[in-house]
Amino acid sequence: MSASPLSLLILAAAAIAGLTAWSAYFPAAPATRAPAPPDEISLPPAVTPRTALPDAMALLEIIPPSSPDSKTDLLLQERQILTARHPTRAELWVQLGDALAQKQRETQLPVWHDRAEAAYQKAQQIEPATVAALNGLAWVYGSRHDFQESVRWAKLALDLDPANPISHGIMGDAALELGDLERAAESYQAMLDARPDMSSYSRAAYLVWMKGDVKKGRWLMQKAIDAGSPHPENVAWCRTRLAMMLFNEGALLPAGQVVAEGLKQTPDHVPLLLLLGKIKLAQRDEKAATAAFESVLKSGENHDALVGLGDLHLIHGRTDLAESFFTRLEKQHRLNAAQGIHDHTQMARFYADHDRELDRALQFAQEHAQTQNVYEADTLAWVCYQKGDLKLARKAIETALRAGTPDAEIFYHAGLIAAALNDRPGAQKLLSRALSLNPHFHPLHSTKALKKLDELARTLTVKN
Amino acid sequence: MKPNTTTGIAGLRRWAGTAPGRMLAIGSALLTLATPQTWASSHSDAPLIKQDPQVNLTDVYTFVRQRPSGERVLVVEVSVRPFSEPGDGVIYDRFADDAEYNIHIANPVTGATLQQYTFRFSDHDAVKAPGLKNPNTILSYGLGTELGPILTVGDARQNYTQTYSVSRIMPDRTRPGRRHPGNRPGDITSLGKNLLVPPPNVGMRTTPPYNDPETGRAVSGATSRETLDTYTRETTYDLPGGVTVFAGPREDGFFADTPGIFDLLDSRILDNNGSLADGLGQDGAGVDGFKGFNVLHYGIVIPLSQLPSIAYTGALQPAATGVGVFATVGRPRVVLFPSRMSASSFVQVNRLGNPLFNEVLVALGSKDLYNRTLPTTDASTFARFAENPEVATLINTVFSTTFPTTGRGDLKAVYIPDVIRVNTTTGPVPVQGEEGFSRLSFIGGDVVEDGNGNMVPSGWPNGRRFGDDVVDIALTAVASGPTFETITVVGDNVPANDQVYNRTFPYAATPHAGTRHQKDSGVNAPIVIE
């Protein structure tokens, strides 16, 4: 099934928000609030000022030289030549934007967002009713987490082409990120009905998984992989997601098989390598885990790889070594913040997982104090628990649990919060659920979950 | 779906007549109890045994553990009497007093019994039962010669107390049974007599040690002998000769969406929305058909030093060494014209080895036959059911999948002969609640090193632990074998038992309380925010 490059690119847009592979959860449970009126998603204020076109065009002038063995780079080169030759043809600017967007997916660098935006803006300037350009802009803003702008552009596209699958996909992505799973389902359904392909299957797969239907999620993700894409990176991403679903069911062997298959085709795919590290860590094959994380770091600093290696040393009590990785992580985080890369939730989670810098963690997590997004709510709850704010922790974890997302970490956090609130049976149930789901859910915390269960059992020992 | 089992007297008949260690008094009780011939197995594996719940085996669990002293042991626990109602007042469930409940240590290759441990239980008769203190009350528990909560097993407040004996029989195919202890063929050794069965979990007022004083619900999850509740601790017997035994009511440790599986593979098992064109998935949570039910349970811990070691090729284990384990139940054999006492005095009515074999793989016409026969004939009689699993055909038909339905040597390696093969060269395996345990066994990366330095599954199909999700493991095997090059995870969305298991013998959880337990799960559950 062929799809326009953009439809492939926008696959799992949220993944781009600096959240990599297995830690990328952006969806959330629908709140039990009054449904939004049709066409109205309650949106947070815009977070990104729009780039002024002249500045953006200047960026296009300085695209770095391409690498001849990258298909994406060759495509990019080709399209740059075409736009230079025919600067008044809007569709060529859209195609250039699509290539730049794919580049962003592969490098995760925000500068490519700006370049893609410039190309799409140029197309829209030439021909205001270019649906593909409107979709492109909607994608750019969505992947910067500026959902208000993203939805605005997607709606403009839908006004022109009400069944456009890409516009529906982007609308769904925004809803998913904001935790409105019902609305995401409507948009994804419209997308599936318009074009069943890798883009729509993979979105639907992730959504049903978020809502707790693991087997259907896996089946749809497999369909996405089978449907394929001209960009190997897109298929690799789907495999990462499928393997992540298996990992979350505790099925380490099949998860490893899916990752191995993916690495055969795309040996350098960072999310796959990170997940490989995580699986190997769970299997206590530390040599292989180290190799996987280190191979990621060869191409630059990476949050999950640094945390993975740090945790590996922590398990063995090598705190100094662990600390060296965490110092690098902090440094990277500062650089990211300077570059406008949005990784606060990830960082807050790291702090809470390692019981450090909790004030900063709370500051980060509270950026999402009103969130309905599962991952953000879970992080907020976890940070609040570590800080001792049980009231807020409880409220946030209830949001995180609402959809029934089959992620052991959420149940673990919920179990600890329940225990702190003296709900012993509830805590036992939640912790057991976490461990039944995936006994290896976290390199440091799965053993803590076992210990906590023991503790609860001991307090339960009836005085005979 | 569960394994099925039968107990075995037929077996005894083949070994030139070892009589059971302690012959039942063949008295009026026996003659009036002309039990229908029944054969049982897992919860509902075969038609005839379904009629005889007291001897209907539901599950066999067996795995290698270590005593606090460091001695490595084989744990074997057997559940019987499916769907025991926790609040089944007045009498509650008791072991049949005229049956023999057996655990077989078998040759893992041929299935032939090498050692048999036999449990025999005391009388129920209200008038004659030595276990009854006070026939003039309606209360079996809470009022004997004294009124109040039972403080220790068999005290004045436990009106009815069943007792049991355990013996070890060394089969002998060539010589008639000799009635003296020892380890030679034909020897019968009495290991323990007049051992007490703890009371059922009547509830907070009658049997408080079982329950949480706050909620009235059963407390489980003991990590050591010392932390077991009083009743269970008192009735876990370390017998002379090195074995440890327990027999009594327990929580049913099996969990599965059997209701859905047998409703023509209800859509909630493998499909998701009633449309069969969209692959294997499932809506919401499965329904645990065993939630809130108890079983009767008997088990033994045997030092590995007392067990044979036999080389075999197991599932995922090219070169393993260990034993096979299965369970049988026998009912008394009635002899109409005795010229002399028959060599074998029990008829095997139920047999159980691996989970799900008789229940899911053996066709209806052969299920009762399975229960009357022994593993030694499985290769000729039942191998076809494992090699050509109808369940794969059914799934393919209903869900348009293409799982291999013939030539399944992988399933044959697990099920034929139908004994649970345990590699006894490994260290102790983790149990649920301990680090490393995965309900998916090897599929979840839960492996243990054996004596040859090979990594083998910690759980089923190498032995079987409490909490091993045998339905998911079996369905995944059906879908992924025979090559396992691509493992397709299939399951029923019931990932855990409704009660936490113990991490010490008996591993089976504390029985649910008659007055406080919950049965419904999944779509049957009441809509409340828990």
Side-chain angles (χ1 to χ4, degrees):
Chain A
M1 187 144 320
S2 70
S4 95
L6 180 66
S7 77
L8 302 168
L9 305 174
I10 58 169
L11 155 93
I16 297 173
L19 299 169
T20 31
W22 41 269
S23 61
Y25 291 84
F26 359 104
T32 46
R33 53 189 168 163
D39 283 348
E40 285 304 323
I41 302 181
S42 43
L43 293 167
V47 291
T48 319
R50 295 187 48 199
T51 317
L53 187 57
D55 298 351
M57 290 307 289
L59 278 174
L60 284 180
E61 304 300 316
I62 46 167
I63 291 177
S66 59
S67 123
D69 49 4
S70 155
K71 268 177 68 177
T72 309
D73 282 2
L74 290 173
L75 190 72
L76 185 57
Q77 215 174 1
E78 205 175 284
R79 290 178 179 179
Q80 279 178 275
I81 293 164
L82 282 172
T83 48
R85 218 176 277 166
H86 311 283
T88 54
R89 285 176 56 186
E91 75 277 14
L92 294 179
W93 284 102
V94 169
Q95 287 172 5
L96 175 62
D98 290 353
L100 292 160
Q102 179 59 32
K103 202 63 196 157
Q104 195 285 328
R105 282 186 58 83
E106 289 171 20
T107 61
Q108 297 287 308
L109 294 171
V111 66
W112 295 102
H113 274 147
D114 303 343
R115 291 182 176 133
E117 184 184 3
Y120 292 132
Q121 278 196 42
K122 182 81 186 161
Q124 214 241 329
Q125 215 178 30
I126 297 164
E127 178 55 70
T130 310
V131 172
L134 299 171
N135 278 337
L137 288 164
W139 175 81
V140 166
Y141 285 103
S143 60
R144 284 177 184 158
H145 277 215
D146 182 351
F147 301 117
Q148 188 162 351
E149 274 298 284
S150 176
V151 167
R152 193 173 74 84
W153 287 106
K155 276 185 180 165
L156 287 172
L158 284 172
D159 288 343
L160 295 166
D161 179 6
N164 188 288
I166 298 168
S167 322
H168 283 299
I170 293 170
M171 295 280 280
D173 293 346
L176 190 80
E177 283 280 351
L178 296 166
D180 188 343
L181 298 196
E182 303 311 311
R183 186 167 285 275
E186 283 169 32
S187 296
Y188 288 167
Q189 190 63 59
M191 187 186 188
L192 277 167
D193 293 344
R195 196 173 57 215
D197 64 0
M198 187 198 68
S199 276
S200 52
Y201 286 144
S202 60
R203 283 182 161 77
Y206 190 66
L207 177 71
V208 298
W209 180 85
M210 287 291 315
K211 288 176 69 108
D213 195 343
V214 284
K215 293 180 176 62
K216 190 172 186 175
R218 282 201 269 104
W219 171 75
L220 273 167
M221 198 56 91
Q222 187 60 55
K223 273 184 93 72
I225 293 164
D226 296 343
S229 151
H231 296 286
E233 176 273 335
N234 294 171
V235 180
W237 172 253
C238 291
R239 282 194 208 279
T240 308
R241 273 296 168 82
L242 177 61
M244 182 275 296
M245 290 172 182
L246 287 162
F247 180 85
N248 276 315
E249 280 182 83
L252 302 186
L253 232 59
Q257 287 179 335
V258 171
V259 169
E261 185 59 34
L263 286 171
K264 252 192 255 174
Q265 320 215 357
T266 41
D268 304 326
H269 188 66
V270 166
L272 277 173
L273 287 167
L274 290 169
L275 190 52
L276 177 67
K278 195 172 163 105
I279 292 166
K280 291 300 178 192
L281 204 50
Q283 291 174 326
R284 300 211 188 92
D285 182 348
E286 292 176 5
K287 218 169 128 190
T290 306
F293 290 134
E294 281 176 348
S295 66
V296 170
L297 293 177
K298 271 183 212 142
S299 55
E301 297 293 74
N302 173 289
H303 178 101
D304 290 325
L306 291 168
V307 174
L309 287 166
D311 284 350
L312 203 147
H313 291 302
L314 274 187
I315 292 169
H316 294 288
R318 298 188 288 260
T319 41
D320 290 358
L321 265 171
E323 209 50 45
S324 69
F325 286 103
F326 297 155
T327 308
R328 280 167 67 179
L329 181 72
E330 297 260 10
K331 189 176 158 198
Q332 186 56 34
H333 174 64
R334 283 194 299 274
L335 286 172
N336 283 350
Q339 283 201 59
I341 295 179
H342 178 99
D343 62 356
H344 286 185
T345 301
Q346 222 179 353
M347 222 38 214
R349 207 175 176 85
F350 162 75
Y351 288 140
D353 278 343
H354 297 81
D355 201 6
R356 56 201 285 166
E357 301 280 354
L358 291 179
D359 291 325
R360 282 185 74 197
L362 192 61
Q363 209 181 327
F364 289 153
Q366 275 179 329
E367 290 174 13
H368 304 286
Q370 297 310 312
T371 189
Q372 297 301 316
N373 173 308
V374 171
Y375 180 72
E376 288 167 0
D378 178 38
T379 304
L380 178 65
W382 183 214
V383 172
C384 290
Y385 166 82
Q386 293 286 52
K387 279 284 294 178
D389 181 352
L390 291 179
K391 200 168 154 224
L392 197 50
R394 179 183 190 154
K395 187 172 157 271
I397 204 71
E398 280 171 357
T399 302
L401 285 167
R402 203 172 288 136
T405 306
D407 176 353
E409 285 191 55
I410 301 173
F411 293 114
Y412 167 65
H413 301 154
L416 293 182
I417 291 164
L421 292 163
N422 295 321
D423 173 8
R424 199 178 48 202
Q428 286 180 297
K429 200 193 291 188
L430 287 159
L431 292 169
S432 303
R433 175 113 191 241
L435 289 162
S436 296
L437 203 58
N438 181 9
H440 314 282
F441 65 84
H442 192 282
L444 305 174
H445 287 283
S446 28
T447 44
K448 290 186 180 170
L450 289 167
K451 284 199 186 92
K452 188 75 195 175
L453 261 179
D454 273 3
E455 214 176 283
L456 291 163
R458 264 201 296 280
T459 59
L460 256 184
T461 305
V462 176
K463 303 289 174 284
N464 292 320
Chain B
M1 301 182 189
K2 290 183 95 158
N4 92 351
T5 69
T6 50
T7 353
I9 301 290
L12 286 178
R13 202 183 301 165
R14 286 198 194 135
W15 323 318
T18 46
R22 214 179 110 218
M23 290 285 298
L24 277 176
I26 303 204
S28 54
L30 191 153
L31 295 176
T32 51
L33 281 174
T35 49
Q37 274 204 312
T38 53
W39 353 90
S41 121
S42 15
H43 289 76
S44 302
D45 58 310
L48 288 167
I49 195 66
K50 187 75 179 163
Q51 311 301 316
D52 191 3
Q54 241 53 20
V55 298
N56 184 353
L57 299 168
T58 72
D59 289 280
V60 178
Y61 304 90
T62 179
F63 45 96
V64 173
R65 289 288 276 178
Q66 193 168 312
R67 285 181 167 150
S69 66
E71 183 178 36
R72 285 190 311 134
V73 292
L74 182 71
V75 176
V76 185
E77 294 191 38
V78 183
S79 291
V80 61
R81 184 55 183 92
F83 304 112
S84 291
E85 166 57 47
D88 186 8
V90 185
I91 306 297
Y92 300 89
D93 275 306
R94 300 167 184 175
F95 290 92
D97 55 7
D98 64 338
E100 60 164 24
Y101 296 83
N102 305 306
I103 287 169
H104 301 255
I105 304 296
N107 179 316
V109 182
T110 64
T113 300
L114 305 170
Q115 294 178 5
Q116 175 180 325
Y117 293 87
T118 297
F119 292 64
R120 303 282 308 279
F121 293 86
S122 67
D123 218 318
H124 298 171
D125 188 298
V127 179
K128 296 187 309 160
L132 192 68
K133 298 185 176 70
N134 177 2
N136 303 315
T137 167
I138 58 166
L139 299 174
S140 300
Y141 307 99
L143 173 60
T145 53
E146 211 180 271
L147 178 73
I150 296 164
L151 302 174
T152 60
V153 177
D155 70 7
R157 296 150 176 205
Q158 184 170 349
N159 193 10
Y160 178 78
T161 311
Q162 195 165 28
T163 61
Y164 68 102
S165 65
V166 186
S167 49
R168 186 181 61 223
I169 301 170
M170 308 300 284
D172 180 3
R173 294 168 173 278
T174 58
R175 293 183 300 168
R178 304 170 338 189
R179 313 294 298 277
H180 61 70
N183 291 327
R184 289 184 303 169
D187 286 349
I188 298 172
T189 311
S190 168
L191 300 173
K193 286 185 179 171
N194 298 319
L195 308 171
L196 302 180
V197 175
N201 188 351
V202 177
M204 245 189 324
R205 293 159 58 81
T206 308
T207 51
Y210 278 139
N211 302 307
D212 179 347
E214 284 172 41
T215 62
R217 289 175 179 261
V219 173
S220 198
T223 52
S224 63
R225 179 79 66 89
E226 296 68 40
T227 53
L228 285 167
D229 64 89
T230 318
Y231 303 153
T232 308
R233 197 175 58 238
E234 285 176 353
T235 53
T236 301
Y237 293 100
D238 294 323
L239 299 177
V243 302
T244 304
V245 295
F246 171 87
R250 291 276 107 186
E251 187 266 347
D252 188 342
F254 186 68
F255 50 94
D257 192 348
T258 303
I261 289 165
F262 281 94
D263 187 14
L264 282 179
L265 299 171
D266 181 291
S267 58
R268 71 177 180 235
I269 301 300
L270 297 174
D271 180 40
N272 35 54
N273 53 9
S275 157
L276 303 181
D278 62 358
L280 301 177
Q282 188 183 56
D283 276 333
V287 173
D288 180 1
F290 305 89
K291 184 177 179 184
F293 286 104
N294 290 336
V295 288
L296 294 171
H297 198 77
Y298 63 102
I300 190 163
V301 178
I302 311 162
L304 291 183
S305 56
Q306 299 184 16
L307 294 175
S309 295
I310 294 164
Y312 66 94
T313 304
L316 310 159
Q317 302 178 76
T321 305
V323 294
V325 175
F326 69 103
T328 59
V329 186
R331 285 282 195 185
R333 176 163 184 259
V334 177
V335 183
L336 294 183
F337 302 107
S339 49
R340 62 179 185 275
M341 196 54 211
S342 157
S344 134
S345 45
F346 283 83
V347 177
Q348 176 182 308
V349 294
N350 194 204
R351 159 158 78 108
L352 177 57
N354 283 287
L356 313 175
F357 184 59
N358 201 24
E359 201 153 15
V360 177
L361 292 172
V362 176
L364 283 171
S366 302
K367 285 186 191 293
D368 289 330
L369 175 68
Y370 171 92
N371 278 333
R372 340 187 251 279
T373 53
L374 280 168
T376 42
T377 58
D378 284 352
S380 54
T381 317
F382 297 107
R384 59 195 169 102
F385 294 117
E387 286 175 307
N388 313 303
E390 187 209 12
V391 68
T393 311
L394 283 175
I395 294 172
N396 288 346
T397 307
V398 178
F399 298 105
S400 317
T401 47
T402 52
F403 301 149
T405 56
T406 55
R408 298 300 301 266
D410 56 314
L411 298 179
K412 190 179 163 189
V414 173
Y415 285 114
I416 304 296
D418 187 23
V419 297
I420 304 181
R421 278 165 277 278
V422 197
N423 188 325
T424 52
T425 65
T426 69
V429 296
V431 296
Q432 187 153 56
E434 289 174 359
E435 198 169 355
F437 176 89
S438 166
R439 69 183 173 90
L440 294 174
S441 180
F442 67 98
I443 298 165
D446 184 358
V447 290
V448 61
E449 192 174 342
D450 75 357
N452 300 324
N454 298 320
M455 299 313 274
V456 302
S458 295
W460 194 62
N462 173 31
R464 178 190 175 188
R465 300 167 301 180
F466 289 87
D468 280 347
D469 195 340
V470 295
V471 169
D472 286 20
I473 297 170
L475 288 175
T476 298
V478 165
S480 311
T483 64
F484 289 89
E485 277 162 14
T486 301
I487 298 178
T488 305
V489 180
V490 182
D492 63 350
N493 264 4
V494 180
N497 188 34
D498 56 320
Q499 176 62 284
V500 55
Y501 305 111
N502 293 328
R503 282 153 50 185
T504 185
F505 182 78
Y507 290 83
T510 309
H512 289 297
T515 45
R516 295 278 190 287
H517 63 273
Q518 186 184 336
K519 293 205 176 62
D520 289 330
S521 68
V523 293
N524 292 339
I527 301 166
V528 291
I529 306 299
E530 287 191 358

